[in-house]
Amino acid sequence: LIDHIPILDRYETLSLDNESIENYFIVGVIEMQNLAMRTMDCDFLELIEIDREFGERVDHLIDMLYSPTNSTAMNKDKDLHLFKSGNCERILCMEASSPQMLESRMSRLLNNIKSNQDELFHLILSYGNIHKGMEGLVESHMEARSTQEKTNTKDWTNVLYPENTNSKPLNFADFDTSLLARQVQTGTKAGIDAELLQLENTLKQKGMTSHMLVIMVISDIFFQIIKLPEGVEGYSNEIFENPMHYYQKIIHQKDISGIFHYLKKVCYLINDFFADVNSGKFVGVLKRALDYIDNNYAKEDLMIKDVAQYAYVSSSYLSIILKKEMGITFIEYLTKVRMEHAKKLLEQTFMKQYEIAEACGYPNSTYFSTIFKRFYGVSPSGYLSKLKSEKEE
């Protein structure tokens, strides 16, 4: 189990097989329905225990897909990856060589969830579409998150304002949470203060004086806010040591001013994080990282954690810096460096293709040829033939 690591970093940690790049992926987010309401009176240790039990139930659900009597069962070690992303939340990623296989597996999983709800804490699975390759994996992950947010908004509205009542629902439309999110990401602390004041006034105008109802609304906003760093491949644990510490502070406040005090603290901390990312102060770190990659690209097992350790930052922060400063991921940059060197070796030496592949960090010459063709539009042998014909002319 690997906690709190952006999804691509997790896959580098697991060292996916080369052929996985050609596979299809679907990502889902598994969570406990109405977690905030169910754990409102829990202390931190109780929450940890609830998460442990939740994890065991999810593991049991997954194991049901690998029954020896199931002729279409997946290869558990290869085709499915499960990560903890928060308390009572898991990220599930399935991969297969065809979309049809993933559709069948997801259907079985949904059926298992439906038939085991009482046992599984009223578990919810939000999932994205099926996509191909690493970029598709990330796209499916973002789609799953989007679906999750829509589901949570609907669930909260149903809890706060049950059907067949005369109450006018807040429905999160009277307060635009995206404006608060925008201030946290790119705005100022004064802007955050203004949005939170607007939220407080909105709650009062709607007559939501019940302490429990206020806590539930703020809880939903809290969990939206702490997920904002994921947009730049960060994670809230990189920003403050324990996000749930702040959540516990929020839900144990006696009045609305105390609740908003701690929500504001969380918004400020994440705002500082985005300010650091946007300030460009990581240029020196970036140079160290790129120099290390340029000098070590030939290592077959070179991973982002190795580069990050050399640059004195976490893997998550290095991912953020690469994306912010260069607009590419670690894998994309490493591939670019390797391909440029491979091209030089083809042009300037008489090395065999398998020798060039090994010199550029690819022990499998067939896979090297596939990547080269994808990068340059022609295979290594085709590129050599092109060079030869140009010289003869």
Side-chain angles (χ1 to χ4, degrees), residues 7-16 303-304 330-331:
I7 195 163
L8 282 181
D9 289 358
R10 290 168 174 155
Y11 275 90
E12 288 166 11
T13 303
L14 291 175
S15 300
L16 285 184
M303 296 167 63
I304 192 170
F330 166 73
I331 289 295

Side-chain angles (χ1 to χ4, degrees), residues 30 58-82 91-95 102 105-106 108-109 112:
I30 307 174
V58 173
D59 289 340
H60 173 68
L61 172 71
I62 300 302
D63 286 341
M64 292 171 65
L65 296 176
Y66 307 107
S67 168
T69 60
N70 186 349
S71 61
T72 59
M74 291 177 282
N75 180 331
K76 186 174 182 180
D77 295 330
K78 176 178 173 55
D79 296 335
L80 185 142
H81 312 280
L82 186 68
I91 295 176
L92 170 77
C93 177
M94 290 189 287
E95 64 171 297
L102 285 181
R105 292 165 183 172
M106 181 56 72
R108 293 203 312 275
L109 181 59
N112 285 346

Side-chain angles (χ1 to χ4, degrees), residues 153-163:
T153 297
K154 180 179 179 181
D155 286 346
W156 278 117
T157 301
N158 290 337
V159 170
L160 296 176
Y161 301 96
E163 294 181 4

Side-chain angles (χ1 to χ4, degrees), residues 15-31:
S15 300
L16 285 184
D17 296 335
N18 292 334
E19 57 266 24
S20 290
I21 292 179
E22 298 297 326
N23 277 350
Y24 292 86
F25 295 89
I26 186 169
V27 178
V29 180
I30 307 174
E31 61 182 329

Side-chain angles (χ1 to χ4, degrees), residues 27 33 159 167 198 240 264 284 290 319 384:
V27 178
Q33 187 176 32
V159 170
S167 301
Q198 177 64 34
F240 32 78
K264 183 184 294 187
L290 297 186
S319 292
L384 284 174

